[in-house]
Amino acid sequence: EDQVTQSPEALRLQEGESSSLNCSYTVSGLRGLFWYRQDPGKGPEFLFTLYSAGEEKEKERLKATLTKKESFLHITAPKPEDSATYLCAVRGGDSNYQLIWGAGTKLIIKP
Amino acid sequence: GAGVSQSPSNKVTEKGKDVELRCDPISGHTALYWYRQRLGQGLEFLIYFQGNSAPDKSGLPSDRFSAERTGESVSTLTIQRTQQEDSAVYLCASSPRDGSYEQYFGPGTRLTVT
């Protein structure tokens, strides 16, 4: 069964304290791993798509990496405005369009 | 340009009443998704529309749920005889093609069934 597990559920950091969020997945034939950011009361906002192991993408203080079993979202020197819930989703080989979503990691950056 | 819009933003209804939720996708986007998000949980797929193809309704939790889309424009999600377990945020997303491309989400409709 295709599955996505994100850890930790919540992460509290001081401003400037770098860390990583984890997304572990089990899927038959990965066809894309997606990272989204969701602010309270809003819909998810697209961040990255990764397609193959070894691929990396960066945007400002965020860098996403991918292996055959998991993806990491590294956040470097975070700021309070980086506080949000970060969602991971995968598309497997059995579906042309359905994504399997993780429950998210709630990131809180204290000033 | 304009993003995905949803209405209403909040809906409080009594158990047993019907509700209709609306989604206006980004112009030109052929794919449209409805999701349900319960507090502290991931997104639950409900239904998928792609152009004029038959929709994938495999995620609808019961026959009380239905959705329609007119061509590549507005979509409505209808929940009949609402139950308290239907309380959640209902999110709509559109995509320029199929799931190979990123999905653009609306702000959601928060449904509360009392």
Side-chain angles (χ1 to χ4, degrees):
Chain A
E1 180 185 352
D2 296 344
Q3 194 169 1
V4 176
T5 303
Q6 291 188 247
S7 62
E9 290 185 11
L11 181 62
R12 285 179 166 79
L13 301 172
Q14 288 295 134
E15 183 173 2
E17 181 184 0
S18 301
S19 189
S20 298
L21 313 182
N22 178 265
C23 172
S24 297
Y25 63 90
T26 304
V27 67
S28 54
L30 181 70
R31 297 174 69 181
L33 185 142
F34 302 79
W35 280 100
Y36 284 80
R37 168 192 171 128
Q38 186 174 25
D39 292 295
K42 296 187 177 181
E45 175 188 351
F46 171 77
L47 293 174
F48 305 109
T49 308
L50 302 167
Y51 290 104
S52 57
E55 188 175 0
E56 298 183 353
K57 289 194 176 173
E58 289 188 64
K59 180 179 180 178
E60 296 180 354
R61 294 176 292 281
L62 298 176
K63 182 169 80 172
T65 62
L66 181 65
T67 73
K68 290 186 177 180
K69 294 183 179 180
E70 58 193 348
S71 176
F72 291 94
L73 185 65
H74 306 278
I75 182 161
T76 302
K79 298 181 178 181
E81 55 262 40
D82 295 321
S83 298
T85 296
Y86 291 85
L87 299 170
C88 171
V90 300
R91 187 167 77 96
D94 292 338
S95 173
N96 286 328
Y97 47 81
Q98 279 202 38
L99 299 182
I100 309 299
W101 292 81
T105 293
K106 184 174 183 178
L107 179 64
I108 300 170
I109 308 300
K110 302 177 190 176
Chain B
V4 177
S5 61
Q6 292 186 246
S7 61
S9 56
N10 281 284
K11 177 71 176 179
V12 180
T13 189
E14 293 180 353
K15 178 182 173 181
K17 300 285 188 182
D18 297 352
V19 295
E20 187 173 279
L21 313 180
R22 176 187 171 105
C23 171
D24 283 90
I26 294 172
S27 178
H29 281 195
T30 58
L32 186 147
Y33 304 75
W34 281 99
Y35 293 94
R36 179 168 68 182
Q37 186 176 34
R38 292 197 167 109
L39 189 63
Q41 298 187 19
L43 276 65
E44 177 186 359
F45 168 80
L46 296 178
I47 189 168
Y48 166 77
F49 295 91
Q50 172 60 272
N52 294 317
S53 302
D56 177 353
K57 304 180 181 181
S58 61
L60 295 178
S62 76
D63 58 9
R64 296 185 295 104
F65 287 73
S66 63
E68 294 183 350
R69 187 183 186 194
T70 305
E72 295 182 356
S73 61
V74 172
S75 176
T76 56
L77 176 69
T78 301
I79 308 173
Q80 296 179 310
R81 306 181 301 281
T82 52
Q83 304 294 314
Q84 288 187 331
E85 61 262 29
D86 298 333
S87 296
V89 174
Y90 290 82
L91 291 162
C92 172
S94 69
S95 178
R97 292 184 182 84
D98 63 23
S100 302
Y101 298 85
E102 59 265 26
Q103 298 177 22
Y104 297 84
F105 284 82
T109 293
R110 180 174 297 278
L111 175 66
T112 304
V113 182
T114 61

